[in-house]
Amino acid sequence: MTLASQANSDTKVDLVGAPDNVAYGESNATANTIVGSSAVITAKGSFDMSAKTKDDLELLSQTAISSPANVAVSFGKAASTSNAEVDGSVTAEEIKVETENENKFATEAKGFNNTGGGTSAGGVGVALGFYQSNATTSVAGDLTAETGNVELSSSTTNEENATRSESEVTDKTDMGAIENSFVPFLTNLDKLINKISGSETKSEANPNQFGLAASVSYMSSSNTASTGAPSGRSALSA
């Protein structure tokens, strides 16, 4: 006998072109498989119960034209949740209960300003990634495996877990243009700069010309896998 739930979420956003790009992407996958407290299940063979998610988030914001200040911002948010819960009674030859999350998270911002002349010389890339993954397998009922084993498992895996920002300037600058449209933006980023953690940043300016380039990346990522049978509420036998 098999009880299974599967949730797949695939979000892809590519925003390329404008001097001020703000890209937002969110991906959520939730799978729940539950045996209620009043349920009584008897299987002649094996009993397999699972809750699985596959969650992909791919987000890119990139500037591609000239302006006094090119700003690319990406904000990525993803959550994966799988829950397998047995509150009733299950009897079978062998029993397996599992949860599994497979994730690929990538948030990128590229603030490029490579026009080769003129007054544009500001480039900013800001990438913010917030990712959560939780897998829970719990038994608060009775599991009886008559001939085989009782297997309980949870796993959460990030195949990719990245937040990246890049900026590059190879042009001359008109300081008035930079002051009016670029410096105030940088000032507002001061608080974020202090929070940079577990991320990649890259900023470059042509040494033969005056330019301003800034990159900020911030990532918050958590993975939790939990498997348990609460004391006094469950009975497992094999």
Side-chain angles (χ1 to χ4, degrees), residues 9-10 13 17 25-26 40 45 53 78 83 103 109 114 120 127 133 136-137 141 145-146 150 217 222 226:
S9 180
D10 189 353
V13 179
E26 184 171 352
V40 178
T53 69
N83 178 50
N103 307 312
N114 304 321
S120 299
S133 184
T136 304
T137 299
E146 296 179 328
V150 174
S217 294
S222 67
S226 175

Side-chain angles (χ1 to χ4, degrees), residues 22-23 43 48-50 52 69 72-73 76 84 88 93 96 102 112 117 131 144 161-162 172 183 190 218-219 227 237:
V22 178
D48 296 319
M49 177 176 173
S50 66
K52 298 182 179 182
V73 179
E93 291 182 3
K96 183 177 182 179
E102 293 184 7
F112 295 155
Y131 316 132
T144 302
N161 193 35
K172 297 178 181 178
V183 173
D190 285 343
Y218 175 73
M219 179 172 66
T227 302
S237 60

Side-chain angles (χ1 to χ4, degrees), residues 22-175:
V22 178
Y24 173 78
E26 184 171 352
S27 184
N28 297 303
T30 302
N32 292 305
T33 304
I34 298 174
V35 175
S37 59
S38 60
V40 178
I41 297 175
T42 302
K44 292 183 179 180
S46 63
F47 176 79
D48 296 319
M49 177 176 173
S50 66
K52 298 182 179 182
T53 69
K54 188 173 182 180
D55 200 355
D56 293 347
L57 172 67
E58 185 178 341
L59 184 62
L60 170 65
S61 175
Q62 179 174 325
T63 58
I65 64 176
S66 173
S67 74
N70 279 1
V71 179
V73 179
S74 288
F75 180 87
K77 184 179 180 181
S80 304
T81 304
S82 61
N83 178 50
E85 181 178 337
V86 180
D87 295 326
S89 174
V90 177
T91 302
E93 291 182 3
E94 59 182 8
I95 298 173
K96 183 177 182 179
V97 182
E98 65 174 333
T99 54
E100 181 180 8
N101 295 344
E102 293 184 7
N103 307 312
K104 291 179 68 176
F105 301 141
T107 299
E108 296 184 76
K110 299 180 179 181
F112 295 155
N113 214 328
N114 304 321
T115 61
T119 62
S120 299
V124 172
V126 180
L128 306 174
F130 299 87
Y131 316 132
Q132 288 187 328
S133 184
N134 299 293
T136 304
T137 299
S138 64
V139 176
D142 300 330
L143 298 182
T144 302
E146 296 179 328
T147 59
N149 296 321
V150 174
E151 296 183 20
L152 307 178
S153 66
S154 340
S155 69
T156 175
T157 304
N158 288 349
E159 296 179 5
E160 183 175 5
N161 193 35
T163 299
R164 293 184 286 265
S165 64
E166 295 183 40
S167 61
E168 184 176 356
V169 175
T170 60
D171 207 352
K172 297 178 181 178
T173 184
D174 178 339
M175 281 305 295

